[in-house]
Amino acid sequence: MARKLPGLQRVLDVPSLAAVAYGEIASSLFFALGIIALFALGFTPWVLLFIGGLFLLVALSYAEGTTAIPETGGAATFVRRAFNDPLGFLAGWVLFLDFLIVIAIAGLFVPHYLGHAVGWEALTDSPLDIIVGIAVIGAVAGVRLVRRPGLYGLGIVVAGASLVTLLLLVALGLPLLFSVDGLSQGTNLGTAPTWSSMAFAIPLALLAFTGLETVANLAAETREPGRTLPRSLFAGIGGAVIVTVLVSLVALSAYPAHPDPGGPGGYASDLGTDWLRAPLVGLAMAFDGELPAVVVDALRIAVGLTGAVILIVTITTSFSGAGRLAYSLGRHDMLPRPFALLNRRTLISPASIVSAAVISSALLGIAILSDEPVEFLASLYSFGVLIAFTAAQIAVVRLRFTEPELERPFRVRGNVRIRGTEVPVVALVGAPLTLAIFVASLMTHEAARIAGPVWLLIGGVVFVSSRLSARGTLLGRVTPAVGDLVPEIEGAYNRILVPMKIGPIGEEVLGTAIKLAEEHSCAVTALYVIRVPLDKPLDAQLVDAEEEAEASVAEAKLLGVDHGVQVEGIVVRARAIGEAIVDEARGRDADLVVMGSSSRWRRQSRFFSPTVDYVLRKAPSEVMVIAYPQGVLDEDGAGA
């Protein structure tokens, strides 16, 4: 059976990536709504609307940068390209922290949603919720170490479940709970909330729109980045912003501000106190008295279970986002080399998974030592994301000056000319805004002022040690080596012929051929030769061989679909495999024949097998022979 190569493949289209974008961003509301309401009170919807608009501005810059440089890494890639490796690492390092914080927060909130859903309130008490949260993170990491989830499937699950749940709450809440008086009750800007609490709430609101980096990190897996990424980003983000604001309008109507000595300006909303760690379950419970008790219970269970599932999936996708980011940093010698090694089963480095699980669990443990763990984690998140957003927008502007000829499949509209260069207005507006919010975060968030710089210091040590171990210069630009399988001039192919065989070597040869076809945008002919013994006629009935051939060809076609490569499967009968391969290469005008060989023949004083040797001497096209180490062919069970 054919196996996929351990690499990032371009398989995501507009619907799947839009689903991922919406699911990643809208799912944030399950843990962000309560902490924002705690400080913004009745102004929560307007804070979310403002941050959502800013998020769209930033997404425009991300769309241009990601389509121009369709590699994994997001803002770290833009900044590294526009400036240098140390600054690129800085952007990537703070984003890595953000992925870890999302994992930690989601892990903390899972037992609360689950406990309220099943009626096991002990799950919502400390320290059991912390223990369960860390256990959930460990379990997801364990599963992620042995298999990788389908991004399309996960995106549909998260987007569908989140959309149905939130729209249900909005559809019921607007006629039953929404109240303009409720929104304004106990709310007086400057007093309740105070100006300082508003300055605190605005950076926290970024937590409601996590996921932009996760989507940007999928650039290397998008079929048409110039078309797919912008459409997916704007469709996903736009939908998430609308739904988020509508839900917050209903939620703050249901839980208006009321006098509370511990709240900002002496007021608080129960959404940010009693329901801080399960705000949407709180919204479901707000229908008590408006709907029959059995309906409210059903709604509570549905929202609680859905929230728990969505948060677990969010942990999973955050592991993937952190892994792809670490892969990008590792390839450029910014992290130790194990982070740059992709695993066939997980498609990201196992070192990334283990590190993310350990550090996020540690962050959760550290947060619980503070009086307000959610506030601590959310504040630290805003520190990282604001640095990354500001740096990404500045990088996009700088690339307009330093690389004006860079192909930009998506180019932000609305430009002003500065020193002869067109510069996007959205970046000129967005970068100062995110920088100003960052300053506000430093002034009001203790976690941002203390833990943020500590994280940067740790990153500096990691960067220096990684560069020294790789024997690279600290300030130099590292370019990952790219295997040159064929000379560039001779590498323009229209059709690649790959003879198929069962076993590990056959799988690897087919995978290599499809990878080449993907890179050169050409087709593949998968040839299965049934060798007919001399004592039988060519048309003799060979049931087992025919079934094996059809199964192999079918697997090759499916693998081609997964990688966006057209694969034609053919089965022929012949006395000699080598002659059949040469005949098919000649008859189908193949530009390249890809074959495999192992050390078995070299031990017999023959560098290649008789079949490979024949094709090398007789084929009318180029022949690529992939050599394998001793012992590999023995697993295969047959020689070519």
Side-chain angles (χ1 to χ4, degrees), residues 189-256:
L189 186 59
T191 303
T194 62
W195 290 111
S196 61
S197 64
M198 282 294 290
F200 195 98
I202 289 175
L204 289 184
L206 286 161
L207 190 65
F209 298 102
T210 64
L212 181 58
E213 273 294 326
T214 300
V215 179
N217 273 317
L218 298 176
E221 299 168 72
T222 304
R223 287 179 179 171
E224 299 178 66
R227 181 177 69 90
T228 306
L229 273 167
R231 292 184 181 181
S232 304
L233 275 175
F234 304 141
I237 295 173
V241 170
I242 293 172
V243 172
T244 295
V245 172
L246 290 174
V247 171
S248 65
L249 286 170
V250 173
L252 269 298
S253 296
Y255 293 102

Side-chain angles (χ1 to χ4, degrees), residues 22 26 29-30 33 113 161-178 243-255 271 278-288 291 295-296 298-304 306-307 310:
Y22 173 83
L29 197 62
F30 281 81
L33 183 58
Y113 275 93
S162 174
L163 184 61
V164 170
T165 301
L166 297 179
L167 288 182
L168 177 62
L169 292 173
V170 169
L172 293 174
L174 284 177
L176 297 177
L177 301 177
F178 177 72
V243 172
T244 295
V245 172
L246 290 174
V247 171
S248 65
L249 286 170
V250 173
L252 269 298
S253 296
Y255 293 102
L271 196 67
L280 295 187
V281 172
L283 179 53
M285 294 300 293
F287 290 98
D288 189 18
L291 295 172
V295 176
V296 175
L299 192 60
R300 169 182 56 82
I301 294 171
V303 173
T306 300
I310 287 175

Side-chain angles (χ1 to χ4, degrees), residues 586-606:
R586 183 177 293 111
R588 296 179 181 276
D589 293 325
D591 303 292
L592 176 70
V593 178
V594 181
M595 305 185 71
S597 183
S598 85
S599 59
R600 187 176 100 175
W601 298 103
R602 295 192 283 278
R603 295 198 304 271
Q604 298 176 358
S605 300
R606 301 188 63 166

